[in-house]
Coordinates of all heavy atoms in Angstrom, one line a residue:
N1 N 10.7 -14.2 14.7 CA 12.1 -14.6 14.4 C 13.0 -14.2 15.5 O 14.2 -14.6 15.6 CB 12.6 -14.1 13.1 CG 11.7 -14.6 11.9 OD1 11.2 -15.7 12.0 ND2 11.6 -13.8 10.9
R2 N 12.5 -13.3 16.4 CA 13.3 -12.9 17.6 C 14.6 -12.2 17.2 O 15.6 -12.5 17.9 CB 13.5 -14.0 18.6 CG 12.2 -14.4 19.3 CD 12.4 -15.5 20.3 NE 11.2 -15.7 21.1 CZ 10.2 -16.5 20.8 NH1 10.2 -17.2 19.6 NH2 9.1 -16.7 21.5
L3 N 14.6 -11.5 16.2 CA 15.8 -10.8 15.8 C 15.9 -9.5 16.5 O 15.0 -8.9 17.0 CB 15.8 -10.4 14.3 CG 15.7 -11.6 13.3 CD1 15.8 -11.1 11.9 CD2 16.8 -12.7 13.6
S4 N 17.2 -9.0 16.7 CA 17.4 -7.7 17.3 C 17.2 -6.6 16.3 O 17.1 -6.8 15.1 CB 18.9 -7.6 17.8 OG 19.8 -7.6 16.6
T5 N 17.0 -5.3 16.8 CA 16.8 -4.2 15.9 C 18.0 -4.1 14.9 O 17.8 -3.8 13.7 CB 16.7 -2.9 16.7 OG1 17.7 -2.8 17.6 CG2 15.3 -2.9 17.4
E6 N 19.2 -4.4 15.4 CA 20.4 -4.3 14.5 C 20.3 -5.3 13.4 O 20.7 -5.0 12.3 CB 21.7 -4.5 15.4 CG 22.0 -3.4 16.3 CD 21.2 -3.5 17.6 OE1 20.5 -4.5 17.8 OE2 21.3 -2.5 18.4
E7 N 19.9 -6.5 13.7 CA 19.8 -7.5 12.7 C 18.7 -7.2 11.6 O 18.9 -7.4 10.4 CB 19.5 -8.9 13.3 CG 20.6 -9.5 14.1 CD 20.2 -10.7 14.9 OE1 19.2 -10.6 15.6 OE2 21.0 -11.7 14.9
I8 N 17.6 -6.5 12.1 CA 16.6 -6.2 11.2 C 17.0 -5.0 10.3 O 16.8 -5.0 9.1 CB 15.3 -5.8 12.0 CG1 14.8 -7.0 12.7 CG2 14.2 -5.3 11.0 CD1 13.7 -6.7 13.7
I9 N 17.7 -4.0 10.9 CA 18.2 -2.9 10.1 C 19.2 -3.4 9.0 O 19.2 -2.9 7.9 CB 18.9 -1.9 11.0 CG1 17.8 -1.2 11.9 CG2 19.7 -0.8 10.3 CD1 18.4 -0.4 13.1
A10 N 20.0 -4.4 9.4 CA 20.9 -4.9 8.4 C 20.2 -5.6 7.2 O 20.8 -5.7 6.1 CB 21.9 -5.9 9.1
K11 N 19.0 -6.0 7.4 CA 18.3 -6.6 6.2 C 17.8 -5.6 5.2 O 17.4 -5.9 4.1 CB 17.1 -7.4 6.8 CG 17.5 -8.6 7.6 CD 16.4 -9.4 8.2 CE 15.6 -10.2 7.3 NZ 14.6 -11.1 7.9
A12 N 17.8 -4.3 5.7 CA 17.6 -3.2 4.7 C 16.2 -3.1 4.0 O 16.1 -2.4 3.0 CB 18.7 -3.1 3.7
Y13 N 15.2 -3.7 4.6 CA 13.9 -3.5 4.0 C 13.1 -2.4 4.7 O 12.0 -2.0 4.2 CB 13.1 -4.8 4.0 CG 12.7 -5.3 5.4 CD1 11.8 -4.7 6.2 CD2 13.4 -6.4 5.9 CE1 11.5 -5.2 7.5 CE2 13.1 -6.9 7.2 CZ 12.1 -6.3 8.0 OH 11.8 -6.8 9.2
A14 N 13.6 -1.8 5.8 CA 12.9 -0.8 6.5 C 14.0 0.2 7.0 O 15.2 -0.1 7.2 CB 12.2 -1.3 7.7
N15 N 13.5 1.5 7.2 CA 14.5 2.5 7.6 C 14.7 2.3 9.2 O 13.9 1.7 9.9 CB 14.1 3.9 7.3 CG 12.8 4.4 8.0 OD1 12.7 4.3 9.2 ND2 11.9 4.8 7.2
T16 N 15.8 2.9 9.6 CA 16.3 2.7 11.0 C 15.2 3.2 12.0 O 14.9 2.6 13.0 CB 17.6 3.4 11.2 OG1 18.6 2.8 10.4 CG2 18.0 3.3 12.7
D17 N 14.6 4.4 11.7 CA 13.6 5.0 12.6 C 12.4 4.1 12.7 O 11.9 3.9 13.8 CB 13.2 6.4 12.0 CG 14.3 7.4 12.2 OD1 15.3 7.2 13.0 OD2 14.2 8.5 11.5
D18 N 11.9 3.5 11.6 CA 10.8 2.7 11.7 C 11.1 1.4 12.6 O 10.2 1.0 13.3 CB 10.3 2.2 10.3 CG 9.5 3.3 9.6 OD1 9.1 4.3 10.2 OD2 9.3 3.2 8.4
V19 N 12.2 0.8 12.4 CA 12.6 -0.4 13.2 C 12.6 0.0 14.6 O 12.0 -0.8 15.5 CB 13.9 -0.9 12.7 CG1 14.4 -2.1 13.6 CG2 13.9 -1.4 11.2
H20 N 13.3 1.0 15.0 CA 13.4 1.4 16.4 C 12.0 1.8 17.0 O 11.7 1.5 18.1 CB 14.4 2.5 16.6 CG 15.8 2.1 16.5 ND1 16.3 1.1 17.3 CD2 16.8 2.5 15.7 CE1 17.6 1.0 17.0 NE2 17.9 1.8 16.0
K21 N 11.2 2.4 16.2 CA 9.8 2.8 16.6 C 9.0 1.6 16.9 O 8.3 1.5 18.0 CB 9.1 3.7 15.6 CG 7.7 4.1 16.0 CD 7.1 5.1 15.0 CE 5.8 5.6 15.5 NZ 5.2 6.7 14.6
V22 N 9.0 0.6 16.0 CA 8.2 -0.6 16.2 C 8.7 -1.3 17.4 O 7.9 -1.8 18.3 CB 8.1 -1.4 15.0 CG1 7.4 -2.8 15.2 CG2 7.5 -0.7 13.8
A23 N 10.0 -1.5 17.6 CA 10.6 -2.2 18.7 C 10.2 -1.5 20.0 O 9.9 -2.2 21.0 CB 12.1 -2.3 18.6
H24 N 10.2 -0.2 20.0 CA 9.9 0.6 21.2 C 8.4 0.4 21.6 O 8.0 0.1 22.7 CB 10.1 2.1 21.0 CG 9.7 3.0 22.1 ND1 10.3 2.9 23.4 CD2 8.7 3.9 22.2 CE1 9.7 3.8 24.2 NE2 8.7 4.4 23.5
L25 N 7.5 0.4 20.6 CA 6.1 0.2 20.8 C 5.8 -1.2 21.3 O 5.0 -1.4 22.1 CB 5.3 0.5 19.5 CG 5.3 2.0 19.1 CD1 4.6 2.1 17.7 CD2 4.5 2.9 20.1
L26 N 6.5 -2.1 20.7 CA 6.3 -3.5 21.1 C 6.7 -3.7 22.6 O 5.9 -4.3 23.4 CB 7.3 -4.4 20.3 CG 7.4 -5.9 20.7 CD1 6.1 -6.6 20.6 CD2 8.5 -6.6 20.0
K27 N 7.7 -3.1 23.0 CA 8.2 -3.2 24.4 C 7.2 -2.5 25.4 O 6.9 -3.1 26.4 CB 9.6 -2.6 24.5 CG 10.2 -2.7 25.9 CD 11.5 -2.0 26.0 CE 12.0 -1.8 27.4 NZ 13.2 -1.1 27.5
I28 N 6.8 -1.3 25.1 CA 6.1 -0.5 26.1 C 4.6 -0.9 26.2 O 3.9 -0.5 27.1 CB 6.2 1.0 25.8 CG1 5.5 1.4 24.5 CG2 7.6 1.5 25.8 CD1 5.4 2.9 24.3

């Protein structure tokens, strides 16, 4: 869906740390 971390966090199904962790792992 190519959403940003902010958009995913706003959907509230995952905690902020998990969203940022997965996004970081995806990138690196």
Side-chain angles (χ1 to χ4, degrees):
N1 299 329
R2 291 184 169 86
L3 299 185
S4 67
T5 51
E6 290 80 8
E7 290 170 314
I8 297 171
I9 291 166
K11 295 175 74 169
Y13 63 75
N15 67 53
T16 299
D17 289 344
D18 281 349
V19 174
H20 285 304
K21 180 174 185 175
V22 174
H24 175 69
L25 291 172
L26 171 66
K27 178 183 168 184
I28 65 171

